[in-house]
Amino acid sequence: MSDELKKDFYKNVYKIALPVTLQSLIMSLLTLTDQLMVGQLGDVAIASVGMATKIYGVISVVLAGLAAGVSIYAAQFWGKQDRKSISQLLGIGLIAGFALSFLFTLLVFFEPQLCLGLFTTDERILGEGYIFLQIISLSYVPTMFTMMYSAILRSTTHVKLPMFVSLFTVMLNIVLNYMLIFGNWGFPELGLKGAAIATLTARIVECALIIGAVYKFRLPGSVDFGSLFEVPKPLLQKFIRTTYPIILTEFIWVMGETAYAMIYSRMGTSEMTAMTITFPLQGICIGLLSGLASAGGVMVGNKLGAGEEEPALQYAKRFIALGISVSLAVGLVIAAASPWYVSFFNISGEVHRLGIYLVWVFAAFLWVKVGNMIMAGGILNSGGDSKFVFAMESAATWLIGVPSGLLLSFVFKQPVYLVYLVLSLEEVVRFGIGMWRIHSRKWIKNLVNDIAA
């Protein structure tokens, strides 16, 4: 990589990755805050929130796949400075996203106990957790709007607005948690229900602020309502061909994560609680490094849209190396801090011990998780290589991960931390396949050259 290209690389990483990373980190802190505050209510409350989060994960990753498709094309269109096509992309994302999120809201709101029953048979969790899940389901639609507009803003390098909005809503959520969970400042003590109301309120405010700012400052995506439905057929067809494998990939992945959660929960409430208290830490660590994946997708996509294939390849390789280096350092830190982190939760001694072991396993595999996130979620998809990513992700999860977890937990009766360790080995297989694909150059494609407005 030439000195000029290297300088341009780090300049754009700082400009794009840092705000996106801060936003992801802020949102992860929101989850951690919920977990720590709810964690004072005991093991059942912690497990209830963890299972509700897994159910939310089903719709969120499908929407994330849709937003990723929007982001891929928006990044390449931005490389050609084609604002009209970017607005048309937003219309596609909003129409499809609303249909998906609204239907999922109806299902979860009216059948919350049925959804929780997929993960546990514990009557205490079914009796208390369904209230939290039912209220949270009302946040799915506003969350969808936030995701679609944020995808457009990130792909066009307008990354500071989502970051500041997220910072405000996290602060709002913390204040509302303090008031509604514990009954401070004259508010009723609502416990788990209060946590759900606080989160729902924060999501609605976040959505309103993002959309309001887009139109006030006339940022990309600030189009008339009727223009959102003016989508040319060639763009729609190409978008569907690229995006449906991404959505399937996300769905297959979350189904795999759901299968893992079912394995952990069926091992016992202590095992599920121990896994649940690691989720916020995992979210923070992945959030801390997700900015590299987002920046990789945007910067590589911009280069591909502008027809600069060799710089795009050089950017891709440098992003992978940077992500692995940083994640190795972060992994060492969280491994050392694991006893301190687990001690924050009001849990039994057995759950405390299991929680530390699980954090150690996560720390050991963080570098490969981040490498896969950058390769699959950022780089390969930026070139429209979504079908290959789908095949790679689904094969690793369902041919290696899930069968291993079932055998170790139910046949060989191994402890939860060893089950988690073996499940994480599928990340290593995926990493090797992804690196081969990057070096093959088969993923490098200009997606918008023949459909720009």
Side-chain angles (χ1 to χ4, degrees):
M1 181 181 285
S2 66
D3 291 339
E4 182 178 353
L5 190 61
K6 189 182 298 183
K7 182 179 179 181
D8 180 64
F9 173 84
Y10 285 109
K11 176 184 176 182
N12 282 290
V13 166
Y14 176 79
K15 180 181 177 182
I16 300 172
L18 185 59
V20 173
T21 295
L22 287 175
Q23 184 189 9
S24 299
L25 186 59
I26 289 165
M27 297 312 296
S28 298
L29 287 173
L30 169 60
T31 303
L32 176 60
T33 301
D34 273 344
Q35 289 280 17
L36 288 175
M37 289 185 167
V38 172
Q40 306 309 307
L41 303 176
D43 288 5
V44 173
I46 295 173
S48 298
V49 173
M51 293 176 196
T53 301
K54 284 296 182 184
I55 292 169
Y56 166 72
V58 175
I59 183 61
S60 69
V61 298
V62 173
L63 293 177
L66 185 62
V70 171
S71 182
I72 289 166
Y73 280 90
Q76 292 210 14
F77 279 128
W78 190 248
K80 298 179 74 68
Q81 291 299 300
D82 183 354
R83 296 177 73 99
K84 181 178 180 181
S85 294
I86 290 173
S87 297
Q88 294 167 341
L89 273 173
L90 177 61
I92 296 173
L94 291 178
I95 294 168
F98 180 80
L100 290 168
S101 58
F102 182 70
L103 289 174
F104 205 75
T105 296
L106 292 178
L107 171 64
V108 178
F109 184 83
F110 289 108
E111 295 291 345
Q113 290 177 315
L114 175 64
C115 295
L116 281 175
L118 297 173
F119 296 91
T120 184
T121 56
D122 192 320
E123 292 297 331
R124 297 174 301 164
I125 295 174
L126 293 174
E128 297 179 30
Y130 87 92
I131 299 174
F132 182 87
L133 180 61
Q134 193 172 48
I135 296 172
I136 288 295
S137 70
L138 300 176
S139 71
Y140 297 163
V141 172
T143 297
M144 179 278 300
F145 278 103
T146 299
M147 292 173 70
M148 296 306 153
Y149 277 93
S150 295
I152 292 293
L153 292 173
R154 289 174 180 172
S155 299
T156 57
T157 70
H158 296 83
V159 291
K160 291 184 179 179
L161 172 61
M163 179 189 71
F164 287 123
V165 170
S166 294
L167 177 61
F168 173 78
T169 52
V170 165
M171 294 171 62
L172 174 65
N173 198 188
I174 291 172
V175 172
L176 291 174
N177 274 340
Y178 181 74
M179 293 189 302
L180 298 176
I181 294 177
F182 307 111
N184 292 307
W185 299 343
F187 285 82
E189 184 177 345
L190 301 177
L192 200 56
K193 184 178 179 181
I197 294 172
T199 300
L200 171 61
T201 304
R203 297 296 189 195
I204 293 173
V205 171
E206 180 183 35
C207 173
L209 289 176
I210 285 282
I211 297 176
V214 165
Y215 280 90
K216 178 177 175 57
F217 299 111
R218 304 302 298 174
L219 299 175
S222 57
V223 296
D224 297 332
F225 181 75
S227 300
L228 295 173
F229 299 93
E230 297 175 359
V231 181
K233 189 175 180 180
L235 173 58
L236 178 60
Q237 291 175 334
K238 201 162 188 178
F239 177 85
I240 291 173
R241 285 199 301 269
T242 303
T243 305
Y244 86 82
I246 299 176
I247 296 175
L248 287 177
T249 299
E250 295 289 349
F251 188 73
I252 289 294
W253 175 80
V254 80
M255 287 295 100
E257 291 296 304
T258 302
Y260 296 157
M262 292 173 69
I263 290 171
Y264 301 138
S265 62
R266 299 286 175 171
M267 293 177 74
T269 299
S270 293
E271 284 78 3
M272 185 61 202
T273 303
M275 280 301 305
T276 298
I277 64 176
T278 71
F279 294 156
L281 181 62
Q282 292 187 41
I284 288 175
C285 294
I286 296 299
L288 183 65
L289 296 159
S290 66
L292 290 175
S294 297
V298 171
M299 289 168 58
V300 172
N302 289 164
K303 290 295 183 184
L304 292 175
E308 301 175 22
E309 294 186 356
E310 191 58 36
L313 179 60
Q314 295 302 316
Y315 273 18
K317 293 178 179 179
R318 187 159 288 268
F319 266 114
I320 296 169
L322 182 61
I324 291 174
S325 300
V326 175
S327 57
L328 282 171
V330 172
L332 290 173
V333 172
I334 63 174
S338 57
W340 175 76
Y341 168 76
V342 174
S343 297
F344 268 100
F345 296 88
N346 179 24
I347 52 180
S348 63
E350 175 65 11
V351 175
H352 185 278
R353 182 182 68 87
L354 293 175
I356 292 176
Y357 292 162
L358 290 169
V359 171
W360 286 349
V361 175
F362 170 72
F365 285 92
L366 178 61
W367 70 272
V368 73
K369 290 177 182 289
V370 171
N372 287 333
M373 179 174 65
I374 293 172
M375 279 192 291
I379 295 167
L380 295 178
N381 278 337
S382 71
D385 204 24
S386 53
K387 291 182 180 178
F388 177 84
V389 172
F390 168 69
M392 176 179 68
E393 298 275 346
S394 56
T397 298
W398 291 98
L399 297 181
I400 300 175
V402 173
S404 299
L406 292 171
L407 284 172
L408 284 170
S409 59
F410 298 125
V411 178
F412 298 111
K413 307 293 184 182
Q414 294 299 305
V416 65
Y417 52 87
L418 287 180
V419 174
Y420 183 41
L421 187 150
V422 174
L423 290 181
S424 299
L425 291 176
E426 56 105 350
E427 296 273 6
V428 178
V429 176
R430 192 183 305 165
F431 181 82
I433 297 172
M435 286 298 294
W436 167 81
R437 188 67 172 183
I438 291 289
H439 288 281
S440 74
R441 305 173 67 105
K442 294 179 181 179
W443 58 275
I444 300 177
K445 304 180 188 73
N446 185 319
L447 301 173
V448 302
N449 196 44
D450 58 341
I451 56 172

